[in-house]
Amino acid sequence: MREIRKKVVLFGNVGVGKSSISRKYVSNEFSETYMSSLGLSIEKKVIELANVSVILMIWDLAGEIFESTQFQGYIKGAHGIVGIFDSSRPYTHDLLSKFLDDSIDCPHIIVGNKVDLITSEAKNELKKKNVEYFTSAKTGEGLDEAFRGIIDKMISEEVYV
Amino acid sequence: MRTSIKENLDTSAQFETLRDIIVGKQEFAKEEEFALFKEEVFQKLNALEQMLNDKERFESKIVESKERVIDVVSPKMGKIIRASVNAQIEKINEKIREASTQLSDLLSPRKILKKLRGKDKVYYSDYPSIVQLFVIESDTGLMFGKFEKEQLNDPDMMTGLLTSIKTFAESSLSIPDAEVGLIDYGDYFIKLFNYGTYYFALVFNGKQNNDFENFINEEIDAFANQYTHQLISPNRMSMDIDVLLKQYFDKTCEKLEKK
């Protein structure tokens, strides 16, 4: 089966749950390697599609790295970016959304994590801000959908034929 | 055998001299008075002799006055004592240095890694040998292809981590055109060969030397020149690159074994 590799970067403010999402999604299939001095961890997830094996290399950036000199180097060449915010702290969405719209030209999605902590009304408000994906790293809700969403944006439709 | 004071003073002249020393010159009116006085003197001398011969009492006197003895003796003994103390301190320092060296060796990250891996091979003296070779996209850290004589880690994780370390170092140092060239990795070294959009990461063990460096530079340059088209093609397949690497670097390993 054909293999394709993609680099996906997760980023967002401190405490929004990036690492929890990454760990839950990958399920420690491959050993997670967090390097605090570098400000990131890298994980690997293999997704078998119809006739292709997608190897996702997930670069989970620490919240603090956003303002560092390494940030541009870490997102360089990314095939997809998953911006994560805390649904229970709406201001974390506004910062993220502005940055993605202004600075990122590769496929990207915005994910509202900790959806288990908000009401359906609050969720509807966030949907009005074009938030497409909601997850709960605690329950696992929405994780597969979110990552499938970024994969779909990264890979052209003919791959699945 | 010791003789008594009395026996030694049996001559008249000696006794008269002693009497003059102790009590000064005296005139005695009668022979009886002199006899009494002589007896009294002998008693005092005997008491003094007994005291001097009483070892325990003499020692206790010394102990009672030891501080005064030290006051008197120490200035004269100081030089000898200091020399002795310095010699002992030097011996202790030597022991500390030895222990410190042993501790440093024990806490060496390289040796800890070796212990953790349960390996204890000597690698510094060996001529280098190839363990793994990766071709990696510079920006993403994604693996184009691999050649492995021994599998150490998941290759995708390895190339991602290497690239993140490389990116971190190169962006942190802010030195124009500076590139990471060599990484010390436990029992191994990882040498990076930077090209345009991709780089090679060679994992090897053994001690690097000029001969090996020149040889491996030529080998990797030759491979990169020969297969540039395949390496930079957007349609490349990692499995195809793996085959090319194996065909080429198996021969490289054979050449290295003959060195």
Side-chain angles (χ1 to χ4, degrees):
Chain A
M1 185 183 289
R2 186 187 175 199
E3 284 182 348
I4 56 171
R5 291 177 166 79
K6 296 291 175 188
K7 175 182 177 179
V8 176
V9 174
L10 307 190
F11 85 96
N13 284 53
V14 175
V16 298
K18 297 180 298 296
S19 298
S20 301
I21 285 180
S22 179
R23 274 197 293 269
K24 189 81 172 179
Y25 179 62
V26 172
S27 304
N28 291 322
E29 185 179 348
F30 294 88
S31 63
E32 176 209 358
T33 309
Y34 177 65
M35 293 172 290
S36 57
S37 53
L38 301 188
L40 61 81
S41 75
I42 294 180
E43 293 179 82
K44 176 180 174 180
K45 175 81 173 179
V46 181
I47 298 140
E48 304 290 349
L49 299 180
N51 59 352
V52 69
S53 181
V54 181
I55 298 171
L56 286 185
M57 296 307 297
I58 301 170
W59 290 44
D60 172 16
L61 308 190
E64 300 85 352
I65 211 74
F66 180 67
E67 293 179 357
S68 77
T69 55
Q70 290 84 37
F71 180 73
Q72 288 300 331
Y74 288 162
I75 65 168
K76 202 172 176 184
H79 298 103
I81 288 183
V82 178
I84 300 168
F85 72 98
D86 180 349
S87 300
S88 64
R89 293 186 293 157
Y91 68 90
T92 58
H93 166 267
D94 300 336
L95 294 169
L96 186 69
S97 177
K98 184 171 180 355
F99 173 76
L100 287 173
D101 290 344
D102 294 348
S103 312
I104 300 297
D105 56 5
C106 69
H108 59 269
I109 60 170
I110 294 183
V111 174
N113 191 35
K114 303 187 185 179
V115 69
D116 53 301
L117 298 180
I118 62 169
T119 61
S120 55
E121 289 78 15
K123 188 174 176 180
N124 287 333
E125 285 301 310
L126 288 168
K127 281 180 178 174
K128 288 177 189 171
K129 293 181 177 180
N130 296 323
V131 177
E132 297 169 88
Y133 299 97
F134 291 91
T135 61
S136 166
K138 189 176 175 184
T139 64
E141 178 188 342
L143 291 177
D144 287 335
E145 290 80 358
F147 278 93
R148 185 59 193 253
I150 192 67
I151 291 169
D152 285 347
K153 287 194 174 188
M154 289 189 297
I155 301 172
S156 55
E157 288 299 320
E158 60 265 29
V159 167
Y160 306 114
V161 177
Chain B
M1 181 183 284
R2 294 184 64 190
T3 55
S4 71
I5 290 172
K6 191 175 182 180
E7 284 168 345
N8 288 331
L9 297 174
D10 58 354
T11 63
S12 176
Q14 285 171 325
F15 182 74
E16 289 301 323
T17 303
L18 181 62
R19 189 195 67 180
D20 290 346
I21 292 168
I22 297 171
V23 297
K25 286 185 178 298
Q26 289 188 32
E27 294 296 326
F28 295 100
K30 295 177 183 175
E31 191 64 26
E32 293 81 9
E33 285 181 1
F34 177 67
L36 284 171
F37 173 73
K38 196 164 65 172
E39 188 60 30
E40 189 183 339
V41 169
F42 280 130
Q43 284 175 2
K44 286 182 179 177
L45 285 172
N46 282 331
L48 181 63
E49 185 185 22
Q50 280 178 6
M51 189 190 82
L52 291 171
N53 286 332
D54 187 343
K55 193 178 169 187
E56 285 184 9
R57 189 176 172 191
F58 195 67
E59 281 178 354
S60 69
K61 284 284 180 189
I62 291 173
V63 170
E64 284 168 15
S65 57
K66 69 176 181 184
E67 288 185 354
R68 290 175 61 196
V69 172
I70 291 169
D71 287 345
V72 174
V73 171
S74 62
K76 294 180 176 61
M77 294 294 288
K79 193 174 177 182
I80 301 167
I81 292 168
R82 276 196 299 275
S84 174
V85 168
N86 285 341
Q88 291 302 317
I89 288 172
E90 185 53 36
K91 283 181 184 174
I92 292 167
N93 282 340
E94 184 61 30
K95 293 281 183 193
I96 290 170
R97 279 194 291 271
E98 281 175 19
S100 175
T101 305
Q102 287 171 357
L103 190 65
S104 298
D105 285 350
L106 198 66
L107 296 178
S108 150
R110 185 191 304 281
K111 293 197 173 176
I112 289 170
L113 278 168
K114 283 172 70 176
K115 294 276 182 198
L116 287 173
R117 290 180 179 153
K119 294 178 180 177
D120 198 23
K121 63 186 175 187
V122 177
Y123 50 91
Y124 275 121
S125 58
D126 298 338
Y127 194 88
S129 59
I130 294 173
V131 178
Q132 291 173 311
L133 178 66
F134 302 109
V135 190
I136 306 164
E137 189 172 35
S138 301
D139 285 351
T140 61
L142 298 177
M143 185 178 67
F144 282 0
K146 65 179 185 298
F147 167 74
E148 293 182 297
K149 295 294 278 185
E150 181 185 333
Q151 189 166 1
L152 300 177
N153 211 332
D154 180 83
D156 287 303
M157 293 295 287
M158 187 87 170
T159 59
L161 294 172
L162 276 176
T163 306
S164 66
I165 292 166
K166 188 173 181 294
T167 303
F168 177 83
E170 291 171 359
S171 60
S172 300
L173 295 174
S174 302
I175 300 171
D177 301 325
E179 290 175 328
V180 175
L182 189 70
I183 295 171
D184 189 343
Y185 179 66
D187 285 354
Y188 306 93
F189 293 99
I190 304 171
K191 189 165 176 56
L192 308 184
F193 302 81
N194 294 293
Y195 290 82
T197 56
Y198 64 93
Y199 68 99
F200 288 84
L202 173 75
V203 183
F204 67 95
N205 57 22
K207 189 177 181 182
Q208 186 176 225
N209 56 52
N210 287 338
D211 183 56
F212 173 73
E213 188 165 1
N214 291 335
F215 171 75
I216 207 69
N217 273 333
E218 285 174 14
E219 290 289 300
I220 288 179
D221 270 346
F223 179 85
N225 285 332
Q226 191 172 338
Y227 298 110
T228 301
H229 175 72
Q230 287 92 330
L231 289 172
I232 63 172
S233 166
N235 298 318
R236 69 182 166 269
M237 302 275 278
S238 65
M239 285 179 286
D240 297 339
I241 303 293
D242 290 353
V243 171
L244 295 177
L245 285 166
K246 181 161 176 54
Q247 284 172 353
Y248 193 95
F249 284 97
D250 268 341
K251 290 175 189 165
T252 303
C253 289
E254 286 172 17
K255 291 180 200 169
L256 270 175
E257 282 169 14
K258 291 174 186 168
K259 283 184 175 284

